[in-house]
């Protein structure tokens, strides 16, 4: 059974590795975003400001570098895959498969993530280290906690993406709602500006939303702003969100499956 | 003379016909715009909001306070919006080369570049203009921009120049597709560069990048140098005779002509992808 999924993952890994020029440009794009953000922080800290909210420039530089690196690694193609497959009517062939639809797409995205690890994460970290010094974690423990927290983050992001994909089954004529979700996630996950700097009211609301647990939680653990005990608690919340989103997806999928419309089939 | 007038008239009528078709095509599925209609304002309003958060928590960025940053951001965004309405097809040259649509343009007895651009007037791009105009007017209000006749003329020239600089960049990039057959990822690369280069003050970047964006790829003239003049800021080193803002249309036209030359060279080595 697992063999089937591994096959999908492997195929995606190999095809992603084949498109070298695309990867080259994608690394370049992310590098520009990284440089621009770091220089923005440098300007913000310019002229003698040492610490704001207990964070110094080095913390935010590390935060930014890691945030952009993670975003290049967290491949959540499921929303686009479903959207295009429904539009083109190809979704029907995926229904024929003897394994669950969403598990297929997860295996595919995991393959994308593995290839990104090799051809995007490594060059990005290399360039970032050349420009701004190696982005060290604040301690060995924070690095150890960072990795499982990243995996949980990916779980949340992927489930959100899958839920948006589910929407496409119902209202495909509204266009790809994934781009709307992505623009909300970018802001409220703290991937560009950490939520610690946001107004109090926004921070309070954000605690009850899944977004800040996708980027801010692992990154905060990495730079040591989130202590060990809080980190474990935060990972607990991440797990709760995964469970909740998973139940939502399973329930939604059950109702959706029966009323799928095959375009041009 | 007579011949030129009738040729211009012919081009205008073709452009009008293309535009009508483009509107009809885009309005056929109006709900399809819904996701863009939500996403684009979210993206740009949150962008300016995050600048406000940074300035509030920290300090003005290299002497640029929030009103001035808003002015700069809005100016850059409006020229992006206008560009997207008129020149979006320059992003898709590689697609046209691969699927053979470019051959069709070559067969018609008309200027190829004109057909390329006129054949898709992207009214959806107006969605980009709306947050741009709102943010810009808000910035003008905050920064105390004076709406004198002279300033308005200068502003219009700056926008025109900014659109030309953007167009020149994407035409040159698109030309690469004549050789490589693909360049879609170059487009996203250039977009990221333009966005970060025009919406933040250029003076926050190191000198190397400032020189690069002033002389080699002159995107500093899209919004930064004009904003410097309109707001009476320091340009961070660059001294030019005459008004900084008026350099934008001049540079825009020069770049545009250069890109036309590049495009023509590229077309000479065009081979149909054929099928």
């Amino acid at each position: 059974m697992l063999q089937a999924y591994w096959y999908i993952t492997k195929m995606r890994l190999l095809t992603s590795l084949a498109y070298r020029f695309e990867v080259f440009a994608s690394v370049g794009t992310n590098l520009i975003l990284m440089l621009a953000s770091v220089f923005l922080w440098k300007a913000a800290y310019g002229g003698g400001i040492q610490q704001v909210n207990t964070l110094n420039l080095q913390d935010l530089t590390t935060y930014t570098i890691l945030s952009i690196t993670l975003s290049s690694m967290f491949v959540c193609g499921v929303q686009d895959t479903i959207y295009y497959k429904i539009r083109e009517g190809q979704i029907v062939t995926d229904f024929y498969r003897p394994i669950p639809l969403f598990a297929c797409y997860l295996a595919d995205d995991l393959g994308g993530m593995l290839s990104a690890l090799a051809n995007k994460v490594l060059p990005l970290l290399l360039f970032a280290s050349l420009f701004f010094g190696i982005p060290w974690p604040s301690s060995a423990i924070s690095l150890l906690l960072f990795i499982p927290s990243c995996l949980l983050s990916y779980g949340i992001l992927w489930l959100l993406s899958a839920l948006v994909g589910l929407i496409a089954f119902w209202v495909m004529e509204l266009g790809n709602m994934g781009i709307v979700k992505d623009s909300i996630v970018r802001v409220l996950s703290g991937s560009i500006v950490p939520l610690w700097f946001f107004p109090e009211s926004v921070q309070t609301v954000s605690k009850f939303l899944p977004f800040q647990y996708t980027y801010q939680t692992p990154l905060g653990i990495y730079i040591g702003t989130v202590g060990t005990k809080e980190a474990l608690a935060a990972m607990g919340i991440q797990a709760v969100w995964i469970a909740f989103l998973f139940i939502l997806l399973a329930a939604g999928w059950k109702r959706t499956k029966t009323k799928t419309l095959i375009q041009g089939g | 003379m007579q011949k030129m007038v009738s040729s211009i008239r012919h081009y205008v009528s073709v452009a009008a016909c293309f535009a009508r078709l483009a509107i009809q095509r885009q309005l056929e599925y109006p709900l399809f715009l819904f996701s863009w209609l939500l996403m684009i304002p979210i993206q740009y309003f949150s962008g300016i909001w995050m600048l406000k958060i940074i300035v509030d928590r920290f300090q003005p960025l290299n002497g640029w306070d929030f009103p001035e940053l808003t002015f700069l951001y809005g100016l850059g965004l409006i020229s992006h919006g206008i560009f997207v309405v008129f020149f979006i097809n320059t992003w898709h040259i590689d697609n046209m080369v691969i699927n053979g649509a470019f051959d069709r343009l070559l067969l018609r007895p008309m200027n190829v570049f004109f057909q390329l651009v006129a054949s898709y007037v992207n009214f959806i791009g107006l969605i980009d203009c709306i947050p741009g105009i709102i943010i810009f007017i808000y910035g003008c209000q905050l920064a105390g921009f004076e709406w004198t006749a002279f300033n308005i003329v200068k502003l219009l020239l700056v926008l025109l120049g900014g659109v030309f600089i953007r167009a020149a960049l994407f035409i040159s990039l698109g030309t690469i597709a004549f050789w490589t057959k693909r360049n879609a990822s170059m487009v996203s690369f250039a977009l990221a560069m333009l966005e970060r280069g025009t919406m933040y003050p250029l003076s926050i970047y190191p000198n190397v990048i400032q020189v690069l964006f002033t002389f080699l790829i002159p995107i500093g003239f899209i919004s930064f140098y004009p904003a410097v003049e309109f707001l009476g800021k320091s340009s961070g080193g660059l001294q030019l005779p005459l008004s900084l803002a008026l350099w934008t249309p001049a540079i825009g036209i020069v770049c545009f002509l250069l890109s036309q030359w590049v495009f023509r060279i590229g077309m000479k080595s065009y081979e149909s992808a054929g099928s």
Side-chain angles (χ1 to χ4, degrees):
Chain A
M1 189 66 189
L2 267 176
Q3 248 173 339
Y5 298 121
W6 173 239
Y7 181 74
I8 296 175
T9 304
K10 201 175 70 186
M11 287 321 285
R12 172 65 186 272
L13 180 66
L14 292 177
T15 44
S16 309
L17 287 176
Y19 288 103
R20 242 165 277 152
F21 187 70
E22 303 283 315
V23 168
F24 194 62
S26 150
V27 168
T29 306
N30 279 317
L31 212 56
I32 285 189
L33 298 182
M34 193 186 273
L35 287 173
S37 303
V38 171
F39 286 121
L40 191 67
W41 289 121
K42 284 205 164 145
Y45 274 99
I49 295 186
Q50 287 301 320
Q51 279 202 335
V52 175
N53 286 24
T54 76
L55 292 167
N56 59 31
L57 179 58
Q58 185 55 50
D59 291 335
L60 276 173
T61 306
T62 306
Y63 187 101
T64 304
I65 293 171
L66 265 285
S67 165
I68 287 168
T69 309
L70 283 185
S71 75
S72 77
M73 187 182 80
F74 286 160
V75 178
C76 292
V78 55
Q79 61 195 27
D80 301 330
T81 311
I82 294 181
Y83 174 71
Y84 288 112
K85 287 203 166 171
I86 291 181
R87 251 185 72 181
E88 309 286 319
Q90 291 166 357
I91 195 96
V92 65
T93 51
D94 292 345
F95 268 103
Y96 286 149
R97 289 184 184 166
I99 46 179
L101 196 72
F102 276 95
C104 278
Y105 296 152
L106 179 61
D108 189 50
D109 282 341
L110 285 176
M113 191 154 102
L114 284 180
S115 70
L117 208 57
N119 60 16
K120 292 184 186 164
V121 170
L122 279 182
L124 274 174
L125 284 180
L126 197 74
F127 278 117
S129 308
L130 280 177
F131 288 132
F132 306 112
I134 298 173
W136 296 107
S138 79
S139 67
I141 299 175
S142 60
L143 180 64
L144 274 179
L145 290 169
F146 170 74
I147 293 167
S149 176
C150 275
L151 293 177
L152 291 169
S153 292
Y154 181 68
I156 299 177
L157 282 171
W158 193 86
L159 284 167
L160 283 174
S161 187
L163 279 166
V164 171
L166 209 56
I167 294 176
F169 279 96
W170 297 76
V171 283
M172 112 186 104
E173 61 277 8
L174 291 188
N176 188 351
M177 297 305 282
I179 55 175
V180 180
K181 187 218 71 183
D182 288 344
S183 56
I184 295 171
V185 168
R186 251 197 304 278
V187 181
L188 290 181
S189 65
S191 68
I192 304 171
V193 175
L195 286 153
W196 304 306
F197 296 135
F198 280 51
E200 293 292 330
S201 50
V202 179
Q203 287 190 43
T204 316
V205 174
S206 150
K207 284 202 181 89
F208 299 97
L209 295 172
F211 307 115
Q212 75 171 53
Y213 304 103
T214 57
Y215 279 90
Q216 180 160 287
T217 298
L219 294 170
I221 293 173
Y222 191 86
I223 63 170
T225 311
V226 180
T228 309
K229 220 181 261 170
E230 294 133 299
L232 291 172
M235 280 156 76
I237 301 177
Q238 286 184 310
V240 170
W241 270 110
I242 289 183
F244 175 70
L245 292 172
F246 180 78
I247 292 168
L248 213 60
L249 180 67
W253 178 230
K254 220 170 137 190
R255 295 194 51 188
T256 309
K257 215 171 8 180
T258 50
K259 60 160 289 163
T260 305
L261 171 88
I262 306 291
Q263 265 239 124
Chain B
M1 189 67 201
Q2 189 89 47
K3 207 171 154 220
M4 207 174 121
V5 169
S6 78
S7 142
I8 288 175
R9 198 174 290 157
H10 176 55
Y11 271 77
V12 169
S13 75
V14 170
C17 181
F18 271 141
R20 203 175 54 239
L21 287 175
I23 298 180
Q24 284 171 350
R25 199 154 42 152
Q26 288 165 48
L27 286 185
E28 196 175 353
Y29 301 102
L31 278 174
F32 234 73
L33 301 180
F34 187 74
S35 56
W36 291 104
L37 207 62
L38 283 178
M39 181 275 226
I40 287 169
I42 292 177
Q43 185 186 343
Y44 292 122
F45 285 128
S46 66
I48 192 70
W49 183 43
M50 281 191 274
L51 279 180
K52 176 156 178 56
I53 289 171
I54 293 176
V55 172
D56 281 353
R57 289 277 162 149
F58 292 82
Q59 58 180 347
L61 302 174
N62 264 30
W64 288 68
D65 59 17
F66 179 66
E68 291 159 351
L69 287 171
T70 315
F71 183 90
L72 176 72
Y73 193 98
L75 190 60
L77 190 48
I78 294 179
S79 77
H80 167 78
I82 301 173
F83 165 81
V84 170
V85 172
F86 291 106
F87 291 101
I88 201 164
N89 250 3
T90 56
W91 293 356
H92 305 135
I93 293 177
D94 63 332
N95 234 334
M96 298 178 81
V97 170
I98 288 175
N99 68 23
F102 199 80
D103 290 353
R104 213 160 24 158
L105 304 189
L106 290 172
L107 289 173
R108 296 187 190 133
M110 257 191 145
N111 181 299
V112 176
F113 181 75
F114 168 81
Q115 293 182 59
L116 173 76
V117 171
S119 62
Y120 198 76
V121 181
N122 172 35
F123 289 92
I124 302 167
L126 290 173
I127 303 174
D128 289 67
C129 290
I130 295 166
I133 290 170
I134 293 173
I135 292 172
F136 182 69
I137 288 179
Y138 182 58
C140 289
Q141 209 71 26
L142 291 177
F145 179 74
E146 283 171 40
W147 292 94
T148 59
F150 182 53
N151 268 350
I152 293 174
V153 171
K154 261 207 288 196
L155 186 63
L156 291 177
L157 284 173
V158 163
L159 286 176
L160 186 79
V163 172
F164 273 141
I165 294 174
R166 284 175 191 273
L169 181 64
F170 282 110
I171 293 163
S172 313
L173 279 180
T175 306
I176 297 175
F178 291 135
W179 285 283
T180 63
K181 305 270 188 287
R182 61 193 301 180
N183 69 345
S185 36
M186 290 297 288
V187 168
S188 70
F189 178 75
L191 267 175
M193 185 176 76
L194 274 171
E195 194 180 305
R196 302 295 143 150
T198 58
M199 290 177 183
Y200 303 154
L202 206 53
S203 51
I204 68 168
Y205 297 115
N207 286 333
V208 188
I209 295 182
Q210 290 188 37
V211 169
L212 177 73
F213 284 172
T214 305
F215 297 107
L216 214 56
I217 313 171
I219 62 180
F221 287 95
I222 295 176
S223 63
F224 176 68
Y225 291 118
V228 163
E229 175 172 324
F230 283 128
L231 302 169
K233 307 288 297 176
S234 144
S235 65
L238 180 73
Q239 294 296 331
L240 285 177
L242 298 170
S243 124
L244 270 180
L246 290 181
W247 278 86
T248 302
I251 290 173
I253 288 166
V254 170
C255 288
F256 192 74
L257 292 176
L258 272 176
S259 73
Q260 287 298 311
W261 178 66
V262 171
F263 186 76
R264 241 170 285 141
I265 292 179
M267 253 184 2
K268 278 195 192 128
S269 43
Y270 169 73
E271 289 173 352
S272 175
S275 59

